[in-house]
């Protein structure tokens, strides 16, 4: 690798282009979906682009200026990303309320950095190089830090022959659906040179019927619920599944269960659940979990649109012993995941929210990264490669070092489209070595 050093050249804060309306200055109160994630680290996603080869047709200064101006125009629509959190406390009656304060709007952070590395240095190694982690800001921030830190930080890293645009974002404010909604809007404004977006975000908060939209937490100091933990380093590798391989996976899973209900995504995750379990060489009576983070928008009644801006995410999962998971086929594992998702309907979601309101729980590490866990996040349905910034289609999507654990799998659409998927798998070194020789996994990776 030519150089792993990333030099920070400049940084600034970008504010919304237009003044906020009186309505937009009103506090935005977090829902139970969001408050549970106060200890979660900022999420990090980024796009790698090829830099135009000729200096005559590309100026980094002009490019950065255009990015900053279009970001400012985009923040006019997505103004919460330029804001900060606030906490209102009182003793009589006891009250502890965390909310987003649009009037406190220092802006989103914008960093320009340079690295002596090339696109090949990022893409060619079999494992994701640690260099990629330095393409992102706010590696140690947790969501609670949104009181003082930016809720969105953009780092643009200029490589020898490429550009990486890395986004670190507060997960209480946006989930994956909202992040890629924002990125699509930013790309739209960048390319059009205008100031309007085709899909304005919706900020009206979802509220459970019969409950106050303002959630009062049962604390009087942040030390009662805040937990900080160090990022760990794992082996990260991308596994690419062609659309043909995924069609075969889905057909196999459904055929084994005599159904047509199992989705492509459930089939792929089930395959990886089985393969990761084999790689860990666990006792057959050990219980293992495969959990999925998913948006509740479409499952609520009435449903929320994909333009709803927030983090209405829940976690569901399937459980099995190692013996059962490996003795049964792919279809059995996929059907466990299908059942977990289907059963988490409007009624189940609202019961879980009501239970949380009555007894709030702020997730800690043990809730997020348990032992012998496989956790699936993100979605191949997100239009990641539709986000272009005058550089053509991105070469790849990458994530940073935060919120990683042994068994974390991050789903992306394949660059070639057509229903293909790229899956980032995060494992301890010995497990990563084992999974590379897993015959079931390799049999599908070799289908083109």
């Amino acid at each position: 690798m030519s150089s792993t050093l990333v030099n920070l050249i400049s940084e600034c804060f970008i504010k919304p282009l237009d003044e906020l309306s009186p309505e937009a200055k009103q506090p935005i109160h977090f829902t139970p979906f969001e408050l549970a994630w106060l200890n979660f680290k900022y999420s990090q996603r980024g796009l790698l682009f090829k830099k135009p080869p000729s200096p005559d047709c590309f100026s980094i200064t002009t490019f950065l200026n255009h990015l900053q101006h279009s970001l400012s125009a985009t923040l006019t629509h997505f103004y919460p990303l330029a804001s900060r959190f606030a906490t209102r406390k009182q003793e009589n009656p006891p009250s502890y309320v965390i909310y987003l304060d649009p009037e406190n709007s220092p802006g989103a952070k914008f960093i320009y950095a340079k690295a002596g590395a090339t696109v090949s240095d990022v893409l060619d190694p079999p494992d994701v190089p640690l260099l990629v982690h330095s393409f992102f800001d706010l590696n140690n921030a947790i969501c609670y830090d949104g009181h003082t830190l930016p809720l969105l930080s953009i780092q643009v890293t200029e490589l020898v022959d490429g550009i990486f645009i890395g986004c670190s974002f507060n997960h209480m404010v946006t989930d994956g659906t909202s992040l890629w909604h924002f990125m699509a809007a930013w790309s739209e404004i960048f390319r059009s040179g205008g100031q309007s977006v085709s899909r304005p975000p919706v900020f009206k908060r979802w509220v459970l019927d019969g409950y106050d939209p303002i959630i009062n937490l049962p604390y009087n100091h942040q030390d009662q619920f805040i937990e900080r933990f160090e990022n760990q380093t794992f082996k990260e590798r991308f596994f690419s599944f062609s659309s043909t391989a995924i069609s075969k996976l889905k057909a196999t899973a459904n055929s084994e269960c005599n159904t047509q209900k199992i989705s492509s995504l459930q089939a792929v995750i089930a395959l990886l659940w089985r393969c990761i379990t084999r790689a860990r060489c666990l006792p057959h009576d050990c219980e293992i979990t495969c959990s999925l983070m998913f948006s509740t928008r479409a499952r609520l009644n009435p449903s929320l649109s994909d333009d709803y801006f927030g983090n209405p995410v829940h976690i569901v999962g399937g459980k099995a012993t190692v013996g059962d998971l490996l003795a049964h086929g792919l279809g059995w594992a996929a059907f466990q995941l299908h059942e977990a998702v289907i059963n988490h309907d409007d009624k189940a979601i609202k019961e879980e929210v009501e239970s949380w309101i009555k007894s709030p729980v702020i997730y800690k590490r043990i809730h997020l990264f348990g032992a012998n866990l496989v956790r699936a996040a993100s979605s191949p349905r997100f239009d990641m490669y539709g986000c272009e910034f005058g550089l053509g289609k991105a070469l790849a999507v990458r994530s940073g070092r935060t919120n990683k654990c042994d068994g974390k799998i991050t789903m992306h659409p394949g660059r070639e489209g057509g229903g293909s998927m790229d899956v980032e798998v995060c494992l301890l070194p010995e497990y990563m070595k084992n999974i590379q020789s897993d015959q079931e996994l390799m049999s599908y990776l070799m289908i083109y």
Side-chain angles (χ1 to χ4, degrees):
M1 187 175 292
S2 51
S3 175
T4 58
L5 183 64
V6 173
N7 295 308
L8 301 183
I9 307 300
S10 64
E11 63 177 54
C12 61
F13 286 86
I14 307 295
K15 296 185 177 184
L17 189 63
D18 298 334
E19 180 71 23
L20 294 184
S21 67
E23 181 184 3
K25 292 180 179 179
Q26 297 302 308
I28 296 176
H29 290 281
F30 292 115
T31 68
F33 293 122
E34 295 148 354
L35 287 168
W37 297 91
L38 278 161
N39 286 321
F40 204 62
K41 297 218 171 186
Y42 276 48
S43 288
Q44 299 173 323
R45 297 288 185 273
L47 296 167
L48 176 65
F49 296 93
K50 186 74 175 175
K51 189 163 65 175
S54 171
D56 296 334
C57 60
F58 180 78
S59 161
I60 188 64
T61 301
T62 302
F63 178 68
L64 292 172
N65 287 339
H66 195 177
L67 277 178
Q68 291 176 355
H69 180 77
S70 57
L71 176 59
S72 178
T74 309
L75 289 173
T76 296
H77 303 279
F78 292 80
Y79 58 87
L81 292 173
S83 307
R84 300 292 184 271
F85 293 177
T87 295
R88 185 180 69 244
K89 294 186 286 187
Q90 65 182 43
E91 295 182 2
N92 191 18
S95 178
Y96 193 99
V97 177
I98 297 175
Y99 61 97
L100 190 147
D101 180 12
E103 284 202 277
N104 179 16
S105 185
K109 192 175 180 182
F110 188 96
I111 298 169
Y112 168 49
K114 293 187 73 171
T118 65
V119 165
S120 294
D121 290 331
V122 176
L123 297 182
D124 287 355
D127 294 327
V128 177
L130 293 178
L131 167 69
V132 171
H133 295 168
S134 60
F135 295 163
F136 296 92
D137 188 30
L138 301 174
N139 284 304
N140 294 310
I142 62 173
C143 288
Y144 178 84
D145 295 331
H147 284 81
T148 55
L149 294 178
L151 304 183
L152 171 68
S153 181
I154 305 291
Q155 180 175 319
V156 180
T157 304
E158 182 183 10
L159 308 179
V160 172
D161 56 352
I163 299 287
F164 192 93
I165 300 177
C167 303
S168 301
F169 59 98
N170 192 300
H171 213 311
M172 279 177 61
V173 181
T174 71
D175 62 356
T177 301
S178 289
L179 169 70
W180 292 107
H181 181 192
F182 161 77
M183 290 293 289
W186 185 16
S187 169
E188 180 183 10
I189 287 178
F190 182 96
R191 288 181 289 175
S192 70
Q195 296 182 21
S196 61
V197 294
S198 55
R199 290 176 49 209
V202 175
F203 297 118
K204 184 179 179 181
R205 297 292 83 191
W206 178 84
V207 179
L208 184 63
D209 287 346
Y211 285 88
D212 194 325
I214 301 175
I215 304 293
N216 181 23
L217 296 174
Y219 308 110
N220 51 45
H221 195 276
Q222 65 263 29
D223 289 348
Q224 294 173 281
F225 59 88
I226 292 300
E227 177 190 70
R228 297 182 185 274
F229 49 89
E230 293 297 316
N231 292 311
Q232 293 179 272
T233 300
F234 302 90
K235 290 289 186 182
E236 300 167 31
R237 179 172 290 210
F238 273 82
F239 294 97
S240 296
F241 295 87
S242 68
S243 56
T244 304
I246 290 173
S247 295
K248 184 175 180 181
L249 261 171
K250 180 181 177 181
T252 299
N254 278 294
S255 175
E256 289 180 4
C257 293
N258 194 27
T259 183
Q260 292 298 318
K261 296 178 180 179
I262 296 169
S263 70
S264 298
L265 182 59
Q266 290 160 2
V268 172
I269 294 173
L271 171 69
L272 290 167
W273 186 18
R274 284 165 52 82
C275 297
I276 290 171
T277 299
R278 268 194 296 267
R280 287 171 167 164
C281 302
L282 298 168
H284 275 219
D285 61 352
C286 180
E287 186 176 74
I288 48 176
T289 300
C290 182
S291 68
L292 296 75
M293 293 177 61
F294 78 106
S295 167
T296 61
R297 289 174 178 82
R299 307 200 69 79
L300 288 166
N301 185 19
S303 63
L304 301 174
S305 82
D306 281 347
D307 299 335
Y308 177 90
F309 196 81
N311 183 39
V313 167
H314 265 179
I315 299 174
V316 299
K319 290 186 178 182
T321 64
V322 171
D324 282 342
L325 183 69
L326 300 184
H328 294 89
L330 170 72
W332 185 88
F335 199 74
Q336 308 310 304
L337 302 179
H338 168 77
E339 288 284 281
V341 172
I342 290 299
N343 291 336
H344 206 69
D345 56 10
D346 176 75
K347 181 174 181 290
I349 292 168
K350 289 175 178 175
E351 285 177 353
E352 188 170 320
V353 169
E354 184 174 38
S355 175
W356 191 95
I357 293 173
K358 292 177 178 179
S359 182
V361 174
I362 309 302
Y363 294 143
K364 295 195 173 183
R365 183 174 179 83
I366 192 171
H367 300 117
L368 301 171
F369 308 118
N372 303 327
L373 177 72
V374 172
R375 166 154 291 172
S378 192
S379 171
R381 299 186 181 97
F382 296 150
D383 187 18
M384 303 176 188
Y385 288 100
C387 302
E388 299 183 15
F389 295 90
L391 300 173
K393 186 177 180 178
L395 300 174
V397 181
R398 290 293 182 264
S399 61
R401 66 180 302 195
T402 60
N403 300 318
K404 294 289 174 69
C405 66
D406 177 54
K408 173 79 174 286
I409 58 176
T410 307
M411 318 301 293
H412 303 95
R415 186 177 187 271
E416 64 271 26
S420 59
M421 296 184 200
D422 289 338
V423 186
E424 181 193 63
V425 177
C426 180
L427 291 172
L428 290 170
E430 60 268 32
Y431 301 155
M432 186 65 79
K433 181 180 179 181
N434 291 343
I435 203 173
Q436 291 168 44
S437 59
D438 188 280
Q439 293 183 358
E440 185 182 20
L441 176 60
M442 293 303 138
S443 69
Y444 285 101
L445 294 178
M446 294 177 68
I447 298 175
Y448 299 102

